[in-house]
Amino acid sequence: MIIPKTKEEIELMRESALIVSKTLGILAAEVKPGVSTLFLDKLAEDFIRSEGAEPGFLGLYDFPNTLCMSPNQQVVHGIPNNEPLDEGDIISIDCGAIKNGFYGDHAYTFAVGEIDDEVERLLKVTKESLYVGIREFKAGNRVGDVAFAIQQYCESNGYGVVRELVGHGLGRTMHEDPEMPNYGRRGRGKKFVEGMVVAIEPMINMGVRQIRQHADGWTITTKDNKPSAHFEHNVALVNGKPELLSTFAYIYNALGIESDEEDEFRSQTLVL
Ligand code: MG
Ligand code: MG
């Protein structure tokens, strides 16, 4: 059952989302060759707690850390470790926080130093597909409309769309109705309702769409060991339109990137 949120609840969810956004911004400045994912995990945990929030993933389904850290061919759910990142790696960082009883949950895939052009293109197309999907999250549409749009965009660029893992509704629990797959058929699935909040999160492979689950119970890699990218935003349906609760603006500030990609999904000016 989809649980729509009141205006007040949406503002609380914005607060939780922005704690995650700020966390990713702090990490953006620290992602570089030689840094371990466990070091970044500790930074994230300390910052989230300093904001009066709790890490959203730590202990959830027994996950051992604050961040899911998935380098290169890892798709999602990677466990932070002491191995240093290398020049040319990519690292997908998924972060959750809970404050006032509501979850924030979003993700960004970072380049570690200079990366190959073809990997750069994977990141670009995956992030673009996130906005292509968000644009379809509007009154009158259904889950399948978002799903189809993302699938179409990524497959037409030659990429594999992961099917076993999906986005989701978000609220007082991390995973609420509806499931938000990144593949599907137009006009199918649950109808969107005013006030609902979702995490839209394309997980896109450079090669085949198939994945492999590892024995640790968490790590998931691409079957062909080619790279995979993951971008995620939290979006509320407000006045029939998608309203971003999360932002990558903190990341872009840290990296010195100019971007207006979020402007069309924001009804109020973002104050950083
Ligand atoms: Mg996430
Ligand atoms: Mg999520």
Side-chain angles (χ1 to χ4, degrees), residues 249-266:
Y250 293 98
I251 294 171
Y252 297 152
N253 263 9
L255 300 180
I257 294 171
E258 295 256 340
S259 171
D260 58 3
E261 67 192 25
E262 298 178 354
D263 292 0
E264 66 180 285
F265 307 115
R266 214 175 282 294

Side-chain angles (χ1 to χ4, degrees), residues 30-36 83-89 111-114:
E30 301 293 332
V31 169
K32 48 194 150 199
V35 167
S36 78
E83 261 177 60
L85 295 169
D86 281 330
E87 178 86 20
D89 283 349
V112 183
E114 290 287 316

Side-chain angles (χ1 to χ4, degrees), residues 19-201:
I19 290 170
V20 175
S21 302
K22 287 179 199 169
T23 308
L24 292 175
I26 288 168
L27 298 174
E30 301 293 332
V31 169
K32 48 194 150 199
V35 167
S36 78
T37 51
L38 201 56
F39 170 78
L40 298 171
D41 186 78
K42 180 80 172 92
L43 276 187
E45 178 173 358
D46 289 350
F47 177 74
I48 289 168
R49 293 192 192 284
S50 78
E51 292 280 299
E54 297 282 326
F57 298 163
L58 183 65
L60 186 70
Y61 314 118
D62 291 329
F63 188 76
N65 290 87
T66 293
L67 302 174
C68 293
M69 293 292 239
S70 310
N72 302 322
Q73 77 276 18
Q74 292 189 20
V75 179
V76 286
H77 299 168
I79 298 173
N81 61 33
N82 278 314
E83 261 177 60
L85 295 169
D86 281 330
E87 178 86 20
D89 283 349
I90 55 171
I91 178 78
S92 297
I93 303 183
D94 196 349
C95 180
I98 180 166
K99 188 172 183 183
N100 300 312
F102 287 100
Y103 280 95
D105 165 29
H106 44 285
Y108 194 92
T109 301
F110 295 88
V112 183
E114 290 287 316
I115 60 174
D116 288 348
D117 288 350
E118 58 170 0
V119 182
E120 185 88 58
R121 182 173 166 272
L122 172 71
L123 302 193
K124 178 173 178 283
V125 168
T126 304
K127 181 150 66 70
E128 286 168 355
S129 80
L130 170 60
Y131 296 109
V132 164
I134 291 172
R135 216 164 274 134
E136 298 301 318
F137 181 61
K138 59 186 180 187
N141 270 6
R142 294 173 181 269
V143 167
D145 294 302
V146 171
F148 174 83
I150 293 172
Q151 180 182 13
Q152 178 79 3
Y153 192 77
C154 294
E155 288 183 350
S156 69
N157 275 284
Y159 296 140
V161 177
V162 173
R163 300 198 175 195
E164 292 84 348
L165 300 148
V166 298
H168 49 93
L170 187 70
R172 290 188 182 277
T173 55
M174 176 70 78
H175 298 111
E176 288 187 357
D177 248 13
E179 286 196 344
M180 295 288 292
N182 300 303
Y183 68 95
R185 296 172 67 182
R186 254 187 212 145
R188 299 295 178 94
K190 291 191 176 167
K191 198 167 190 178
F192 297 137
V193 298
E194 180 71 14
M196 70 187 289
V197 178
V198 292
I200 299 178
E201 49 179 317

